[in-house]
Amino acid sequence: MWLFNSRFLIVALILVTAPVFSSELGFKGYVVSYSDDEKSERWANYLYNHLSNRAEDKTIVLLQKVSKEKSIKRGYKSLFIQVSSGLQFDYCIQNSAEQLDIRAQNDRSALWIIYQVIGNISIEDNRINAADFPPPMINLSNSCKNFDFEYREPHFAPNLQTDFAPILGTNNVETDWGIWGHNVSRIVNKYEDENLYALVEGKRVESQLCFSSPQFFEHIRYFIIDNYGRGDETSNYFMISPQDNNLVCTCSECSKLGNTSSNATPAVSKLVLRLSEHFPDHRFYMTAYRTTASPPTFKLPKNSGVFISTIKLPKGIKLNKKQSKTSQFLNQLNEWRSITDNIYLWDYAANYDDYLTPIPVLFGLQQHLQFFKNNGVKGVFINGSGYDYSSFDGMKTYVIAALMMDTQANVEELCRRYFVSEFPVSGNLLANYYLSLEQNYAEKNKAYNLYGGMRDNLKTYLDATKFITFYEAVETLLPIIRGEEWNKLLKLYTTLTFTRLQIAYTTTTGKWGYGIVNGNKLIVKPEISEYVNLLGRYVAYSDMANYDEIGNTLEEYTAEWNALIAKHSFQNALLGEKIELLSKPDEGFESVSLLNDGTPGFPQDYLQGWYLFSGDKLQLQFSTTNLQNTNTLRLRFLNNPRQGLLSPEKIEILADGKPLKMIASNKIKIVGNTASCDIDIDFSKMKNVVIKMTPKEAKKSIIACDEVQILKL
């Protein structure tokens, strides 16, 4: 019934919005006209060429310079374009039955508005085909508007396509920035000069830079001149930021400028000042991050500014001054506003532990963008899934681009416009499901996690039953779809299969789980191999290798599933028994079901089946009443020092309150990124067992424990 209704709605929408012919429009074609200046003529030619290229009948698009002696050809609608830096707005539109006047302030706005014009014309006139780029974000009603932010970047894979970002009117780190992030070090690393590096506690360290070094300035200066010129033809951005650590140079010159062991702002801001003055047509930005969190004591030049991270702000909900983190953020904005008007934000719109599962971010993001605009922010970099594919990333790129131009834009309307344009048959199904996620989550008014696995998703916004109904509906539509829509829908379906497997893995048993309990065994359902094979299609897509920010791969993920399927079952006498936690749990790990749910952890990802504990000692207790015929305790841990995941320093076993065994760390066998041990115990000789696991001493030491497995060997 649901599929029938979806198809009916699609047909109805097509009938309602079907393009009309020239006789219904009231004119034969279009005359592109322009004012008497070189820039307007160039953009008029651009509009003429792209409009005529999309017309099967080339005679319906003409080009003509405006003059008193020559009027627009009768029966044609005039498309007049003017580009002038004197315009007080980013763009202006004046539309009537006979003439459409388009005025833009600069080349960037001109390019964007031209594609808006072509897109709108193609909707009304089926003689113009604009299916090769996204639907228009605006209609052509009379208006003059400024964009809400001057810097606008939705950092998703579609926006990183060189030719795509200009059509959306967005920025792109690949084309707009000469130096981005912490990459200033790459410029100087090729030079063998220790004075380029920070002096920390009397020693030069190559993991941080000396920003007061005269040679450092010269190397950056030559890099900019050689690669980007002086900015008089094309203006670029350059980020001047220390390496991503807490080290600060305290050489005599840096100290003279004001550096301390924890504050690098004085030397970094002085370098930004020098570069800004030397290259007045380029733009230089520092970051309010780590050792440069504090603003400088002087005002920055007009062609420089600061990037501030919003990572501490609650995501997905409306911001207000009563929230402590929002209040702190506003204080930070005010501190930096005292020295620069150019405040850009590094904002977030993804779950960085799971790029592939659909996540509703747009309703909450719109509220944040409105808040940022009202507080004087001039630019926003929205960190999405970057170069990796994520579900619905094309739609999110399109909608976020529109919101950064106009924070009052209608999100639902934009979503539906995109889906119906890009997915003519399945668009309504996709729009209805995605918008239901947005609407349901907005009603909860609860912040979402930037880092969270499927357990978090199911607790917050993802309804397993509704998702699987949607997943199966997509599967049903695939056989009746053809062409480019089929290719795009198949890619999305492949992505959604990851979510289907994650739901199976996390729920373990029951209708949507991957296994069936048979005594003390968990047996893998046969259909799971079909899902793994479907997900195996990821190899056809170069941007679908990873499923999260740190680079966990689908190759490893599917390999773990195949290994689980090959074993067919997992045996544990503790399956279904009660394990009692005697220690204070970490947040989100109040339940210890992960320790005996019959699901082995996947070694490549600590969110896949591992129980995490960061306290002083992990203590577990269970009864041996149903374990009388067993003799082995098997424990397995993650071992990833880079993430602070370490096997225990020691494991103590108590039987009926008395010490029974102690296993030292050197008896825990490490293979790759896991550690394990088998402990011989005759469970028939005791009624109660307590396991105590002591973490290793380290700056960060977390125990990631797999199943507490009881066997008879």
Side-chain angles (χ1 to χ4, degrees):
M1 178 62 73
W2 182 24
L3 281 176
F4 172 80
N5 288 339
S6 296
R7 292 171 191 166
F8 176 79
L9 286 171
I10 292 168
V11 172
L13 185 63
I14 292 172
L15 290 173
V16 170
T17 61
V20 294
F21 293 92
S22 59
S23 59
E24 298 174 70
L25 290 169
F27 49 83
K28 299 176 183 177
Y30 308 90
V31 175
V32 178
S33 58
Y34 54 93
S35 60
D36 189 15
D37 65 89
E38 183 180 343
K39 183 172 285 191
S40 297
E41 181 178 1
R42 176 162 55 87
W43 283 110
N45 275 282
Y46 187 92
L47 172 57
Y48 166 75
N49 289 329
H50 282 264
L51 192 59
S52 61
N53 286 342
R54 288 168 171 79
E56 187 173 341
D57 179 2
K58 306 301 180 186
T59 64
I60 69 169
V61 183
L62 308 176
L63 179 67
Q64 179 182 314
K65 179 180 177 180
V66 172
S67 66
K68 294 180 180 178
E69 295 78 21
K70 192 173 183 180
S71 60
I72 297 298
K73 187 172 182 178
R74 189 173 180 181
Y76 282 71
K77 181 167 184 173
S78 170
L79 306 179
F80 174 80
I81 186 164
Q82 183 181 46
V83 181
S84 171
S85 59
L87 187 67
Q88 293 182 340
F89 300 91
D90 284 311
Y91 69 91
C92 285
I93 299 171
Q94 189 72 31
N95 197 1
S96 67
E98 297 80 22
Q99 182 165 318
L100 171 65
D101 282 5
I102 298 294
R103 302 173 194 271
Q105 188 184 79
N106 52 45
D107 290 342
R108 184 185 178 197
S109 297
L111 179 64
W112 173 78
I113 197 69
I114 281 173
Y115 280 98
Q116 300 302 302
V117 169
I118 296 172
N120 274 280
I121 289 175
S122 72
I123 292 173
E124 295 182 346
D125 189 340
N126 66 355
R127 298 172 300 170
I128 304 295
N129 183 356
D132 57 327
F133 56 85
M137 301 172 179
I138 61 170
N139 58 38
L140 300 179
S141 58
N142 296 340
S143 60
C144 281
K145 291 189 176 181
N146 282 315
F147 299 132
D148 285 345
F149 300 102
E150 65 180 28
Y151 187 93
R152 308 177 295 274
E153 180 164 2
H155 191 55
F156 291 90
N159 192 70
L160 289 163
Q161 299 172 27
T162 305
D163 296 333
F164 191 65
I167 293 173
L168 293 179
T170 54
N171 294 89
N172 180 348
V173 293
E174 293 292 346
T175 56
D176 292 340
W177 289 82
I179 304 173
W180 173 253
H182 304 283
N183 290 323
V184 69
S185 62
R186 295 184 181 180
I187 298 171
V188 299
N189 281 346
K190 60 184 178 180
Y191 300 102
E192 295 183 4
D193 183 353
E194 68 170 13
N195 293 317
L196 296 171
Y197 300 103
L199 188 71
V200 180
E201 296 180 351
K203 296 181 180 180
R204 294 287 176 181
V205 293
E206 293 189 0
S207 55
Q208 194 51 270
L209 303 166
C210 176
F211 287 85
S212 69
S213 165
Q215 296 92 332
F216 190 88
F217 172 80
E218 288 301 314
H219 290 318
I220 296 177
R221 187 173 73 87
Y222 281 119
F223 169 81
I224 293 173
I225 292 172
D226 291 346
N227 293 279
Y228 301 96
R230 295 192 172 274
D232 46 353
E233 293 185 7
T234 301
S235 178
N236 288 93
Y237 291 90
F238 299 88
M239 188 173 286
I240 308 300
S241 176
Q243 295 300 89
D244 195 3
N245 57 51
N246 291 323
L247 299 176
V248 178
C249 182
T250 53
C251 70
S252 59
E253 187 58 32
C254 283
S255 297
K256 189 186 300 182
L257 291 171
N259 273 21
T260 67
S261 60
S262 60
N263 182 17
T265 292
V268 173
S269 58
K270 184 66 174 180
L271 178 60
V272 168
L273 175 64
R274 290 187 67 191
L275 289 168
S276 300
E277 291 175 343
H278 194 81
F279 297 101
D281 293 318
H282 284 310
R283 286 166 281 189
F284 298 87
Y285 277 74
M286 56 188 299
T287 57
Y289 177 69
R290 282 197 164 186
T291 59
T292 53
S294 301
T297 57
F298 56 86
K299 282 190 173 291
L300 292 174
K302 291 183 179 180
N303 62 323
S304 60
V306 64
F307 252 100
I308 298 175
S309 170
T310 68
I311 195 165
K312 293 183 180 180
L313 289 177
K315 304 301 174 188
I317 61 174
K318 192 170 184 177
L319 302 176
N320 63 71
K321 296 178 182 179
K322 294 181 180 179
Q323 299 159 341
S324 61
K325 291 182 179 179
T326 304
S327 177
Q328 293 168 17
F329 172 76
L330 289 174
N331 289 338
Q332 186 182 30
L333 281 187
N334 290 331
E335 287 178 359
W336 281 93
R337 192 177 289 113
S338 67
I339 59 96
T340 181
D341 292 329
N342 299 321
I343 295 177
Y344 289 3
L345 299 183
W346 184 303
D347 201 26
Y348 305 83
N351 177 354
Y352 300 98
D353 280 329
D354 181 355
Y355 284 156
L356 303 184
T357 296
I359 180 172
V361 298
L362 296 177
F363 283 9
L365 179 61
Q366 180 174 37
Q367 294 183 87
H368 281 212
L369 290 173
Q370 291 168 351
F371 182 84
F372 298 154
K373 177 195 171 185
N374 292 338
N375 283 281
V377 171
K378 285 194 173 181
V380 187
F381 170 87
I382 304 288
N383 189 23
S385 53
Y387 300 86
D388 293 309
Y389 178 80
S390 59
S391 58
F392 302 126
D393 62 357
M395 178 274 295
K396 289 179 180 178
T397 301
Y398 167 79
V399 175
I400 293 172
L403 285 175
M404 288 196 285
M405 289 180 169
D406 178 7
T407 60
Q408 301 299 325
N410 188 312
V411 171
E412 180 173 350
E413 182 180 310
L414 287 166
C415 285
R416 292 193 181 280
R417 187 184 301 167
Y418 177 87
F419 279 126
V420 171
S421 173
E422 296 295 312
F423 299 86
V425 178
S426 58
N428 273 302
L429 172 66
L430 303 181
N432 288 340
Y433 177 72
Y434 179 78
L435 287 169
S436 72
L437 290 178
E438 289 281 0
Q439 290 156 355
N440 292 339
Y441 197 56
E443 291 172 3
K444 294 182 179 180
N445 193 33
K446 185 177 181 181
Y448 66 81
N449 289 330
L450 292 178
Y451 295 89
M454 182 53 66
R455 291 194 307 127
D456 294 310
N457 297 342
L458 292 172
K459 288 177 183 177
T460 51
Y461 72 89
L462 191 69
D463 183 295
T465 299
K466 290 180 180 178
F467 171 82
I468 291 171
T469 302
F470 166 66
Y471 174 77
E472 292 174 349
V474 173
E475 180 184 23
T476 302
L477 280 179
L478 274 168
I480 66 173
I481 293 175
R482 298 290 182 270
E484 185 58 26
E485 181 177 358
W486 182 84
N487 291 327
K488 290 186 288 189
L489 193 64
L490 180 63
K491 185 175 185 179
L492 176 63
Y493 179 67
T494 302
T495 302
L496 298 176
T497 302
F498 173 82
T499 303
R500 178 63 187 91
L501 280 168
Q502 283 291 84
I503 290 173
Y505 183 86
T506 305
T507 56
T508 309
T509 58
K511 187 176 182 180
W512 307 131
Y514 78 90
I516 300 170
V517 176
N518 184 1
N520 62 2
K521 287 184 179 181
L522 187 70
I523 301 171
V524 180
K525 294 177 181 177
E527 62 264 30
I528 296 302
S529 62
E530 297 177 19
Y531 294 132
V532 177
N533 289 335
L534 287 171
L535 182 57
R537 288 200 190 101
Y538 79 87
V539 296
Y541 309 107
S542 60
D543 55 355
M544 207 188 287
N546 305 319
Y547 66 82
D548 65 9
E549 181 184 52
I550 65 173
N552 282 317
T553 68
L554 288 179
E555 180 181 12
E556 295 171 307
Y557 181 79
T558 53
E560 287 297 326
W561 269 113
N562 284 324
L564 190 61
I565 292 166
K567 290 178 181 176
H568 180 62
S569 65
F570 184 87
Q571 185 172 350
N572 187 359
L574 267 182
L575 194 65
E577 298 292 321
K578 181 182 178 181
I579 297 179
E580 185 180 356
L581 178 66
L582 304 179
S583 309
K584 183 180 178 181
D586 287 21
E587 184 179 355
F589 290 88
E590 292 79 11
S591 168
V592 293
S593 60
L594 286 170
L595 295 173
N596 66 332
D597 62 357
T599 300
F602 287 3
Q604 87 280 3
D605 189 346
Y606 66 88
L607 291 174
Q608 296 292 115
W610 302 90
Y611 182 84
L612 304 183
F613 180 80
S614 61
D616 294 333
K617 186 174 291 188
L618 176 58
Q619 300 186 65
L620 307 169
Q621 177 176 266
F622 54 86
S623 168
T624 64
T625 302
N626 297 321
L627 308 178
Q628 297 304 302
N629 295 319
T630 58
N631 58 13
T632 302
L633 167 64
R634 176 172 292 169
L635 297 172
R636 192 170 75 127
F637 309 93
L638 272 182
N639 184 68
N640 189 332
R642 185 174 62 86
Q643 294 181 322
L645 302 169
L646 305 172
S647 56
E649 179 63 28
K650 66 178 179 179
I651 301 170
E652 300 168 82
I653 309 297
L654 281 72
D656 297 327
K658 298 178 181 180
L660 179 67
K661 291 196 175 185
M662 193 278 285
I663 296 87
S665 60
N666 61 353
K667 299 297 183 181
I668 302 173
K669 186 178 181 181
I670 297 175
V671 178
N673 58 348
T674 63
S676 62
C677 62
D678 282 4
I679 306 168
D680 295 332
I681 300 175
D682 185 353
F683 288 100
S684 66
K685 295 182 178 180
M686 60 201 72
K687 294 181 179 180
N688 187 73
V689 171
V690 172
I691 304 173
K692 296 182 179 182
M693 307 179 207
T694 303
K696 283 187 169 70
E697 288 190 14
K699 187 175 182 180
K700 183 180 181 182
S701 184
I702 299 171
I703 292 176
C705 186
D706 197 4
E707 294 282 299
V708 177
Q709 190 176 7
I710 307 294
L711 301 165
K712 182 178 181 180
L713 296 180

Short mmCIF file of all heavy atoms in Angstrom, two decimals, residues 310-346:
data_model
loop_
_atom_site.label_atom_id
_atom_site.label_comp_id
_atom_site.label_asym_id
_atom_site.label_seq_id
_atom_site.Cartn_x
_atom_site.Cartn_y
_atom_site.Cartn_z
N THR A 310 32.92 25.29 16.45
CA THR A 310 31.67 25.21 17.22
C THR A 310 31.49 23.83 17.86
O THR A 310 30.38 23.47 18.26
CB THR A 310 30.45 25.47 16.31
OG1 THR A 310 30.32 24.37 15.38
CG2 THR A 310 30.60 26.76 15.53
N ILE A 311 32.57 23.07 17.98
CA ILE A 311 32.45 21.67 18.38
C ILE A 311 31.82 21.49 19.76
O ILE A 311 31.18 20.47 20.04
CB ILE A 311 33.82 20.96 18.32
CG1 ILE A 311 33.63 19.44 18.37
CG2 ILE A 311 34.75 21.46 19.44
CD1 ILE A 311 34.83 18.66 17.96
N LYS A 312 31.93 22.49 20.63
CA LYS A 312 31.37 22.35 21.98
C LYS A 312 29.89 22.72 22.05
O LYS A 312 29.24 22.48 23.06
CB LYS A 312 32.17 23.21 22.96
CG LYS A 312 33.60 22.72 23.17
CD LYS A 312 34.33 23.55 24.20
CE LYS A 312 35.75 23.04 24.40
NZ LYS A 312 36.49 23.85 25.41
N LEU A 313 29.35 23.32 20.98
CA LEU A 313 27.94 23.68 20.98
C LEU A 313 27.07 22.43 20.82
O LEU A 313 27.42 21.51 20.07
CB LEU A 313 27.63 24.64 19.84
CG LEU A 313 28.16 26.07 19.95
CD1 LEU A 313 27.81 26.85 18.68
CD2 LEU A 313 27.58 26.77 21.17
N PRO A 314 25.92 22.37 21.49
CA PRO A 314 25.00 21.24 21.28
C PRO A 314 24.48 21.25 19.85
O PRO A 314 24.12 22.31 19.32
CB PRO A 314 23.87 21.50 22.29
CG PRO A 314 23.96 22.97 22.60
CD PRO A 314 25.39 23.34 22.47
N LYS A 315 24.45 20.09 19.20
CA LYS A 315 24.08 19.99 17.79
C LYS A 315 22.63 19.55 17.63
O LYS A 315 22.15 18.68 18.34
CB LYS A 315 25.00 19.00 17.06
CG LYS A 315 26.48 19.32 17.20
CD LYS A 315 26.81 20.69 16.66
CE LYS A 315 28.25 21.06 16.93
NZ LYS A 315 28.55 22.46 16.59
N GLY A 316 21.96 20.16 16.66
CA GLY A 316 20.62 19.72 16.30
C GLY A 316 19.50 20.38 17.06
O GLY A 316 18.33 20.06 16.83
N ILE A 317 19.80 21.30 17.97
CA ILE A 317 18.75 21.97 18.74
C ILE A 317 18.97 23.48 18.69
O ILE A 317 20.05 23.96 18.35
CB ILE A 317 18.73 21.50 20.21
CG1 ILE A 317 20.06 21.82 20.90
CG2 ILE A 317 18.40 20.02 20.30
CD1 ILE A 317 20.06 21.53 22.39
N LYS A 318 17.94 24.22 19.05
CA LYS A 318 18.02 25.67 19.03
C LYS A 318 18.96 26.16 20.13
O LYS A 318 18.95 25.66 21.25
CB LYS A 318 16.62 26.27 19.24
CG LYS A 318 16.54 27.76 18.95
CD LYS A 318 15.10 28.23 18.93
CE LYS A 318 15.02 29.70 18.53
NZ LYS A 318 13.61 30.16 18.42
N LEU A 319 19.79 27.14 19.78
CA LEU A 319 20.76 27.68 20.73
C LEU A 319 20.19 28.90 21.45
O LEU A 319 19.46 29.69 20.86
CB LEU A 319 22.05 28.06 20.00
CG LEU A 319 22.76 26.95 19.22
CD1 LEU A 319 23.96 27.51 18.47
CD2 LEU A 319 23.19 25.83 20.16
N ASN A 320 20.55 29.05 22.72
CA ASN A 320 20.17 30.25 23.45
C ASN A 320 21.22 30.54 24.52
O ASN A 320 22.01 29.67 24.90
CB ASN A 320 18.78 30.10 24.08
CG ASN A 320 18.72 28.98 25.10
OD1 ASN A 320 19.27 29.09 26.19
ND2 ASN A 320 18.04 27.88 24.74
N LYS A 321 21.22 31.76 25.01
CA LYS A 321 22.25 32.23 25.94
C LYS A 321 22.21 31.50 27.29
O LYS A 321 23.19 31.51 28.03
CB LYS A 321 22.10 33.73 26.17
CG LYS A 321 22.34 34.57 24.92
CD LYS A 321 22.13 36.05 25.21
CE LYS A 321 22.33 36.88 23.95
NZ LYS A 321 22.10 38.33 24.21
N LYS A 322 21.07 30.88 27.61
CA LYS A 322 20.96 30.20 28.90
C LYS A 322 21.76 28.89 28.93
O LYS A 322 22.05 28.38 30.01
CB LYS A 322 19.49 29.93 29.21
CG LYS A 322 18.67 31.19 29.43
CD LYS A 322 17.22 30.86 29.76
CE LYS A 322 16.41 32.14 29.98
NZ LYS A 322 14.98 31.83 30.28
N GLN A 323 22.08 28.35 27.76
CA GLN A 323 22.90 27.14 27.70
C GLN A 323 24.35 27.53 28.01
O GLN A 323 24.89 28.45 27.40
CB GLN A 323 22.81 26.50 26.31
CG GLN A 323 21.40 26.08 25.93
CD GLN A 323 21.22 25.93 24.42
OE1 GLN A 323 22.00 26.48 23.64
NE2 GLN A 323 20.18 25.22 24.02
N SER A 324 24.97 26.84 28.95
CA SER A 324 26.31 27.25 29.40
C SER A 324 27.32 27.24 28.26
O SER A 324 28.13 28.17 28.12
CB SER A 324 26.78 26.33 30.53
OG SER A 324 26.86 24.98 30.10
N LYS A 325 27.29 26.20 27.42
CA LYS A 325 28.26 26.13 26.32
C LYS A 325 27.99 27.19 25.26
O LYS A 325 28.93 27.71 24.65
CB LYS A 325 28.24 24.73 25.70
CG LYS A 325 28.80 23.66 26.64
CD LYS A 325 28.83 22.29 26.01
CE LYS A 325 29.42 21.27 26.96
NZ LYS A 325 29.45 19.91 26.38
N THR A 326 26.73 27.53 25.06
CA THR A 326 26.40 28.59 24.12
C THR A 326 26.85 29.94 24.66
O THR A 326 27.37 30.79 23.92
CB THR A 326 24.89 28.61 23.84
OG1 THR A 326 24.48 27.32 23.36
CG2 THR A 326 24.54 29.66 22.79
N SER A 327 26.68 30.14 25.96
CA SER A 327 27.13 31.39 26.59
C SER A 327 28.64 31.54 26.47
O SER A 327 29.15 32.63 26.16
CB SER A 327 26.71 31.39 28.06
OG SER A 327 27.18 32.55 28.71
N GLN A 328 29.38 30.45 26.69
CA GLN A 328 30.84 30.48 26.54
C GLN A 328 31.24 30.79 25.10
O GLN A 328 32.18 31.55 24.85
CB GLN A 328 31.42 29.14 26.98
CG GLN A 328 31.27 28.85 28.46
CD GLN A 328 31.60 27.40 28.80
OE1 GLN A 328 32.22 26.69 28.02
NE2 GLN A 328 31.17 26.96 29.97
N PHE A 329 30.50 30.21 24.16
CA PHE A 329 30.77 30.45 22.74
C PHE A 329 30.56 31.93 22.39
O PHE A 329 31.38 32.54 21.69
CB PHE A 329 29.86 29.56 21.90
CG PHE A 329 29.90 29.85 20.43
CD1 PHE A 329 30.96 29.45 19.65
CD2 PHE A 329 28.85 30.54 19.81
CE1 PHE A 329 31.01 29.71 18.29
CE2 PHE A 329 28.88 30.81 18.46
CZ PHE A 329 29.96 30.39 17.69
N LEU A 330 29.49 32.52 22.90
CA LEU A 330 29.22 33.94 22.63
C LEU A 330 30.30 34.83 23.23
O LEU A 330 30.70 35.84 22.63
CB LEU A 330 27.85 34.32 23.17
CG LEU A 330 26.65 33.74 22.40
CD1 LEU A 330 25.35 34.07 23.12
CD2 LEU A 330 26.61 34.26 20.97
N ASN A 331 30.79 34.46 24.41
CA ASN A 331 31.89 35.22 25.01
C ASN A 331 33.14 35.16 24.13
O ASN A 331 33.85 36.16 23.96
CB ASN A 331 32.21 34.67 26.40
CG ASN A 331 31.13 34.99 27.41
OD1 ASN A 331 30.35 35.92 27.23
ND2 ASN A 331 31.05 34.20 28.48
N GLN A 332 33.39 33.97 23.56
CA GLN A 332 34.54 33.82 22.67
C GLN A 332 34.37 34.67 21.42
O GLN A 332 35.32 35.33 20.96
CB GLN A 332 34.71 32.34 22.29
CG GLN A 332 35.96 32.05 21.49
CD GLN A 332 36.07 30.58 21.10
OE1 GLN A 332 35.06 29.90 20.92
NE2 GLN A 332 37.29 30.09 20.97
N LEU A 333 33.16 34.67 20.85
CA LEU A 333 32.89 35.52 19.69
C LEU A 333 33.16 36.98 20.00
O LEU A 333 33.79 37.70 19.21
CB LEU A 333 31.43 35.36 19.24
CG LEU A 333 31.02 34.15 18.42
CD1 LEU A 333 29.58 34.31 17.96
CD2 LEU A 333 31.92 33.95 17.21
N ASN A 334 32.70 37.43 21.14
CA ASN A 334 32.86 38.84 21.51
C ASN A 334 34.33 39.20 21.71
O ASN A 334 34.76 40.30 21.36
CB ASN A 334 32.06 39.14 22.78
CG ASN A 334 30.56 39.12 22.53
OD1 ASN A 334 30.11 39.42 21.42
ND2 ASN A 334 29.78 38.78 23.55
N GLU A 335 35.10 38.27 22.28
CA GLU A 335 36.53 38.53 22.46
C GLU A 335 37.22 38.74 21.12
O GLU A 335 38.02 39.66 20.94
CB GLU A 335 37.18 37.37 23.22
CG GLU A 335 36.82 37.30 24.69
CD GLU A 335 37.46 36.10 25.37
OE1 GLU A 335 38.15 35.32 24.68
OE2 GLU A 335 37.26 35.93 26.59
N TRP A 336 36.92 37.87 20.16
CA TRP A 336 37.56 37.97 18.85
C TRP A 336 36.99 39.13 18.03
O TRP A 336 37.70 39.73 17.22
CB TRP A 336 37.42 36.66 18.09
CG TRP A 336 38.41 35.63 18.54
CD1 TRP A 336 38.24 34.68 19.49
CD2 TRP A 336 39.75 35.49 18.07
NE1 TRP A 336 39.39 33.94 19.66
CE2 TRP A 336 40.34 34.42 18.79
CE3 TRP A 336 40.53 36.15 17.13
CZ2 TRP A 336 41.65 34.00 18.58
CZ3 TRP A 336 41.84 35.74 16.91
CH2 TRP A 336 42.38 34.68 17.63
N ARG A 337 35.72 39.45 18.25
CA ARG A 337 35.12 40.56 17.50
C ARG A 337 35.78 41.89 17.85
O ARG A 337 35.75 42.83 17.06
CB ARG A 337 33.61 40.62 17.77
CG ARG A 337 32.87 41.55 16.81
CD ARG A 337 31.36 41.55 17.06
NE ARG A 337 30.77 40.30 16.63
CZ ARG A 337 30.23 39.40 17.43
NH1 ARG A 337 30.22 39.62 18.73
NH2 ARG A 337 29.70 38.30 16.97
N SER A 338 36.41 41.95 19.01
CA SER A 338 37.08 43.20 19.40
C SER A 338 38.33 43.46 18.56
O SER A 338 38.82 44.59 18.52
CB SER A 338 37.45 43.15 20.89
OG SER A 338 38.44 42.16 21.13
N ILE A 339 38.84 42.41 17.88
CA ILE A 339 40.06 42.62 17.08
C ILE A 339 39.86 42.32 15.59
O ILE A 339 40.74 42.58 14.78
CB ILE A 339 41.24 41.78 17.64
CG1 ILE A 339 40.93 40.28 17.64
CG2 ILE A 339 41.61 42.25 19.04
CD1 ILE A 339 41.42 39.53 16.47
N THR A 340 38.68 41.78 15.19
CA THR A 340 38.41 41.55 13.77
C THR A 340 36.91 41.43 13.52
O THR A 340 36.17 40.91 14.36
CB THR A 340 39.11 40.27 13.26
OG1 THR A 340 38.82 40.12 11.85
CG2 THR A 340 38.63 39.03 13.99
N ASP A 341 36.48 41.92 12.36
CA ASP A 341 35.09 41.74 11.93
C ASP A 341 34.91 40.44 11.16
O ASP A 341 33.79 40.00 10.91
CB ASP A 341 34.65 42.91 11.04
CG ASP A 341 34.56 44.21 11.80
OD1 ASP A 341 34.24 44.17 13.00
OD2 ASP A 341 34.81 45.27 11.19
N ASN A 342 36.03 39.84 10.75
CA ASN A 342 35.98 38.67 9.88
C ASN A 342 36.04 37.38 10.71
O ASN A 342 37.10 36.78 10.88
CB ASN A 342 37.13 38.71 8.87
CG ASN A 342 37.05 39.94 7.98
OD1 ASN A 342 35.96 40.34 7.57
ND2 ASN A 342 38.19 40.55 7.69
N ILE A 343 34.89 36.99 11.21
CA ILE A 343 34.80 35.77 12.02
C ILE A 343 34.12 34.69 11.19
O ILE A 343 32.98 34.83 10.75
CB ILE A 343 34.01 36.02 13.32
CG1 ILE A 343 34.78 37.01 14.20
CG2 ILE A 343 33.77 34.71 14.05
CD1 ILE A 343 34.06 37.37 15.49
N TYR A 344 34.86 33.62 10.94
CA TYR A 344 34.34 32.45 10.25
C TYR A 344 34.24 31.31 11.27
O TYR A 344 35.02 31.24 12.22
CB TYR A 344 35.26 32.00 9.11
CG TYR A 344 35.29 32.91 7.90
CD1 TYR A 344 34.58 34.10 7.85
CD2 TYR A 344 36.06 32.57 6.79
CE1 TYR A 344 34.62 34.92 6.73
CE2 TYR A 344 36.11 33.38 5.66
CZ TYR A 344 35.39 34.56 5.64
OH TYR A 344 35.44 35.36 4.53
N LEU A 345 33.29 30.41 11.04
CA LEU A 345 33.10 29.28 11.94
C LEU A 345 33.39 27.96 11.24
O LEU A 345 33.11 27.80 10.05
CB LEU A 345 31.66 29.24 12.47
CG LEU A 345 31.20 30.44 13.29
CD1 LEU A 345 29.78 30.21 13.79
CD2 LEU A 345 32.14 30.74 14.45
N TRP A 346 33.93 27.03 12.01
CA TRP A 346 34.08 25.64 11.58
C TRP A 346 32.97 24.88 12.28
O TRP A 346 33.04 24.60 13.46
CB TRP A 346 35.46 25.12 11.99
CG TRP A 346 35.77 23.73 11.52
CD1 TRP A 346 35.05 22.60 11.77
CD2 TRP A 346 36.90 23.31 10.74
NE1 TRP A 346 35.65 21.50 11.20
CE2 TRP A 346 36.79 21.91 10.56
CE3 TRP A 346 37.99 23.98 10.19
CZ2 TRP A 346 37.74 21.17 9.85
CZ3 TRP A 346 38.92 23.24 9.48
CH2 TRP A 346 38.80 21.85 9.31
#
